[in-house]
């Protein structure tokens, strides 16, 4: 079995490499290929991934390449995690929105549409290569943001072998398991909504419903990413919230915090990445791997400590960061994709959270709408869980953002400026025709190398 990673030169590549190496024997991987069109990044993070795999599983066939055809040829599974335009384009996207006092967050905010203008054409090219060169039954798991818009658009383009993945919902469940001192698989949940806009209607510990006690437990507001919400809001909503809902429920506070910080998330990421690459570029990765890992720990720890801190004014609990290559894989970054592969390979039924067609799971949405929902996987068949009572407030927000994603998909597929304006106009975090027009014009100009043919 062959698995390919498109974007294998990214900072988080080693997380994928660790997951794949630890699961390779059980899942039957014969070949793993990490591909990236940025040779400099591949030469650093790709080589670190290769050294990690060599340490954990010396006999595993692991390759690095800048050739996408070589990467996808005969691949059974492909993971895509790319950033077209790099960190500098992300910063430009965010600042264009912030200049209008709008949230510039790259997935839920207006900047997400600009990111999608670059991401979708590139991903479509990889999908076409997969159709031509990969296994006839290939599955593509997309981790590229904005995952909601991207997943919807790729499916609308006919790429029904693609699935959106995100580790935010499963990571939240894992944090609850840690609170209870149990294995992460002991805590399960019924998730529904859209990517970065999802809710848990149920959370169970070894089959026992714990949602009521969880909402009252003060520890979730200090020790998990529920820390971004006030307890009274959570109890009013009556469910567990994806951390990205902070941007919808505290919009004005998020904008104020970012403006007061005088630095965007994109700038934080760019600076961390620059310093880490600069330091690692002068080191001998193969012969001084332990010290390379220490450098990675130092800079990636800064990135983790800063997660949503500028936007919320709340920092994660500060503790030394350590990426332990030998520790059992927590199943975050690559866990969702590997869970699918494991279930299909072994024939065991399992539950997982995926971005898939709604097919009646959430009332009030189209069957073709891509939703983020807990699914049952059996023999390769994915069945989304039906949500009987999603809640009026939750459903209203889901439907509004889904309208944005539908219109965004149409704009991206037809290269329609009018539909681009429509999608941002209805977006709850823009909600203005005049501002939508201004943003679309700016994003078309900044993305002119990627948006030929828009009219």
């Amino acid at each position: 079995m062959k698995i390919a990673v498109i974007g294998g030169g990214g900072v988080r590549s080693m997380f994928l490499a660790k997951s794949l190496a630890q699961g390779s024997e059980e899942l039957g991987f014969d070949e793993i290929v990490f591909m990236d069109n940025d040779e400099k990044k591949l030469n650093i993070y790709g080589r670190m991934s290769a050294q990690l795999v060599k340490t954990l599983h010396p006999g595993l066939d692991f390759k690095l390449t800048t050739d996408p055809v070589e990467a996808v040829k005969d691949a059974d599974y492909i993971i895509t995690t790319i950033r077209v335009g790099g960190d500098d384009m992300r910063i430009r996207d965010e600042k264009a929105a912030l200049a209008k006092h709008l949230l510039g967050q790259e997935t839920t905010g207006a900047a997400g549409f600009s990111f999608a203008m670059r991401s979708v054409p590139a991903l479509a090219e990889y999908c076409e290569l997969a159709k031509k060169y990969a296994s006839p039954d290939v599955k593509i798991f997309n981790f590229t943001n904005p995952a909601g818009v991207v997943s919807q658009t790729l499916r609308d383009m006919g790429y029904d072998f693609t699935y959106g993945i995100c580790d935010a919902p499963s990571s939240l469940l894992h944090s609850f398991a840690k609170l209870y001192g149990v294995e992460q698989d002991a805590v399960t949940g019924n998730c529904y909504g859209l990517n970065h806009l999802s809710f848990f209607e149920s959370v169970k510990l070894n089959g026992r419903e714990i949602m009521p006690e969880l909402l009252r437990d003060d520890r979730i507001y200090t020790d998990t990413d529920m820390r971004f919400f006030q307890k009274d809001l959570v109890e009013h909503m009556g469910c567990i919230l994806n951390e990205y809902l902070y941007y919808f429920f505290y919009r004005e506070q998020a904008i104020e915090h970012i403006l007061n910080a005088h630095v965007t998330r994109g700038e934080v990421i760019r600076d961390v990445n620059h310093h880490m690459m600069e330091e690692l570029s002068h080191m001998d990765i193969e012969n001084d791997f332990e010290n390379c890992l220490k450098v990675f720990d130092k800079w990636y720890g800064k990135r983790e400590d800063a997660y949503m801190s500028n936007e919320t004014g709340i920092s994660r609990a500060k503790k030394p960061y350590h990426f332990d290559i030998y520790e059992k894989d927590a199943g975050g970054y690559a866990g969702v994709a590997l869970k699918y592969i494991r279930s299909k390979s072994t024939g065991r039924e399992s539950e997982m959270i995926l971005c898939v067609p709604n097919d009646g799971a959430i009332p009030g949405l189209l069957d073709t709408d891509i939703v983020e929902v807990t699914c049952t996987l059996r023999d390769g068949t994915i069945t989304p869980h039906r949500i009987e009572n999603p809640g009026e407030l939750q459903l209203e927000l889901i439907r509004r953002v889904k309208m944005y994603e539908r219109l965004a998909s149409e704009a991206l597929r037809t290269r329609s400026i009018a539909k681009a304006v429509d999608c941002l106009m209805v977006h709850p975090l823009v909600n203005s025709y005049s501002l939508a027009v201004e943003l679309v014009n700016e994003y078309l100009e900044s993305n002119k190398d990627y948006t030929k043919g828009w009219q």
Side-chain angles (χ1 to χ4, degrees):
M1 184 188 301
K2 176 181 177 179
I3 186 166
V5 176
I6 306 299
V11 173
R12 299 181 73 186
S13 296
M14 285 204 299
F15 295 94
L16 266 172
K18 175 183 173 180
S19 298
L20 296 175
Q22 290 189 354
S24 60
E25 289 188 8
E26 177 194 4
L27 300 177
F29 295 141
D30 301 309
E31 182 181 359
I32 300 173
V33 179
F34 275 28
M35 175 267 165
D36 206 295
N37 56 14
D38 187 325
E39 192 167 3
K40 183 177 180 181
K41 289 172 62 179
L42 189 68
N43 195 44
I44 294 176
Y45 299 115
R47 283 171 58 208
M48 287 187 70
S49 298
Q51 191 62 28
L52 183 152
V53 170
K54 182 179 179 180
T55 302
L56 293 179
H57 196 318
L60 189 59
D61 185 4
F62 184 90
K63 297 184 177 74
L64 301 176
T65 183
T66 56
D67 183 350
V69 173
E70 180 185 353
V72 304
K73 187 172 177 57
D74 300 324
D76 300 283
Y77 297 98
I78 299 171
I79 295 175
T80 55
T81 171
I82 63 175
R83 179 172 292 283
V84 183
D87 294 328
D88 288 336
M89 289 294 286
R90 172 184 182 170
I91 294 166
R92 188 184 301 182
D93 293 343
E94 291 173 340
K95 289 192 170 183
L98 283 170
K100 303 175 193 339
H101 221 71
L102 298 173
L103 191 70
Q105 212 279 330
E106 69 158 348
T107 57
T108 57
F113 180 70
S114 182
F115 192 3
M117 293 169 85
R118 302 189 297 274
S119 299
V120 168
L123 289 168
E125 288 184 16
Y126 288 123
C127 287
E128 286 297 319
L129 289 177
K131 285 171 63 176
K132 186 174 182 179
Y133 296 106
S135 163
D137 193 35
V138 67
K139 298 290 184 291
I140 295 181
F141 296 98
N142 175 61
F143 201 81
T144 301
N145 280 322
V149 170
V150 167
S151 299
Q152 183 69 59
T153 309
L154 292 179
R155 282 280 179 156
D156 290 342
M157 295 173 77
Y159 301 120
D160 59 0
F161 48 85
T162 61
Y163 300 90
I165 60 175
C166 181
D167 59 352
S170 57
S171 295
L172 193 54
L173 291 178
H174 296 165
S175 69
F176 297 152
K178 189 174 181 180
L179 288 182
Y180 280 87
V182 298
E183 293 292 324
Q184 62 186 36
D185 289 343
V187 176
T188 58
N190 222 28
C191 174
Y192 70 97
L194 310 176
N195 177 247
H196 286 182
L197 193 133
S198 58
F199 307 84
F200 280 98
E201 65 162 6
S202 169
V203 178
K204 293 181 178 180
L205 172 62
N206 292 321
R208 177 178 68 87
E209 182 61 60
I210 60 171
M211 177 71 80
E213 67 185 68
L214 205 54
L215 299 185
R216 295 191 301 268
D217 191 334
D218 288 337
R219 294 179 302 166
I220 72 169
Y221 305 102
T222 57
D223 297 352
T224 79
D225 283 339
M226 289 290 289
R227 62 171 59 87
F228 304 130
F229 304 103
Q230 293 172 306
K231 189 175 181 180
D232 59 350
L233 167 67
V234 178
E235 290 181 330
H236 175 66
M237 298 297 292
C239 61
I240 293 295
L241 311 175
N242 185 297
E243 67 256 38
Y244 284 83
L245 284 163
Y246 168 83
Y247 297 113
F248 292 92
F249 293 145
Y250 300 91
R251 176 180 58 181
E252 73 291 343
Q253 292 183 27
I255 295 171
E256 182 180 2
H257 283 308
I258 297 169
L259 292 175
N260 289 340
H262 302 293
V263 62
T264 65
R265 175 66 175 168
E267 289 172 298
V268 171
I269 296 295
R270 178 199 60 192
D271 292 345
V272 167
N273 290 349
H274 171 76
H275 290 301
M276 180 158 44
M277 277 194 67
E278 175 63 21
E279 196 163 347
L280 288 171
S281 66
H282 299 290
M283 299 181 72
D284 186 339
I285 292 173
E286 286 75 21
N287 297 309
D288 196 16
F289 187 52
E290 287 300 318
N291 283 322
C292 289
L293 286 176
K294 290 178 182 178
V295 171
F296 181 82
D297 282 349
K298 178 178 68 174
W299 290 110
Y300 198 83
K302 293 179 184 294
R303 172 175 168 148
E304 285 292 284
D305 288 343
Y307 179 68
M308 289 185 71
S309 61
N310 285 345
E311 298 90 337
T312 66
I314 300 170
S315 297
R316 285 175 164 173
K318 288 200 178 288
K319 56 183 179 180
Y321 179 82
H322 178 52
F323 175 59
D324 187 346
I325 68 173
Y326 299 102
E327 184 181 22
K328 181 182 177 183
D329 180 43
Y333 184 35
V336 180
L338 295 183
K339 201 167 186 179
Y340 175 95
I341 298 170
R342 181 176 292 109
S343 180
K344 188 173 182 184
S345 299
T346 63
R348 293 197 301 264
E349 181 179 301
S350 65
E351 287 188 359
M352 58 193 302
I353 300 168
L354 277 172
C355 294
V356 295
N358 184 47
D359 285 339
I362 302 176
L365 298 182
L366 302 177
D367 285 348
T368 54
D369 284 338
I370 301 302
V371 296
E372 186 169 85
V373 64
T374 301
C375 304
T376 295
L377 178 62
R378 185 185 299 110
D379 296 327
T381 299
I382 296 173
T383 305
H385 291 190
R386 184 169 181 82
I387 308 300
E388 300 296 341
N389 299 297
E392 187 175 5
L393 293 175
Q394 293 91 324
L395 187 57
E396 180 62 26
L397 184 56
I398 291 169
R399 291 177 66 178
R400 184 68 179 271
V401 175
K402 191 69 246 181
M403 180 181 288
Y404 152 73
E405 291 185 352
R406 285 194 211 111
L407 289 167
S409 169
E410 186 175 356
L412 293 164
R413 288 181 289 113
T414 63
R415 297 176 177 261
S416 167
I417 296 175
K419 291 299 179 183
V421 171
D422 285 347
C423 83
L424 287 180
M425 179 176 67
V426 303
H427 195 301
L429 298 179
V430 178
N431 201 34
S432 164
Y433 171 75
S434 57
L435 291 176
V437 170
E438 291 179 23
L439 275 174
V440 168
N441 287 334
E442 289 188 35
Y443 287 150
L444 283 170
E445 175 60 26
S446 64
N447 289 311
K448 59 186 178 183
D449 292 337
Y450 306 93
T451 55
K452 293 180 175 62
W454 281 67
Q455 56 186 357

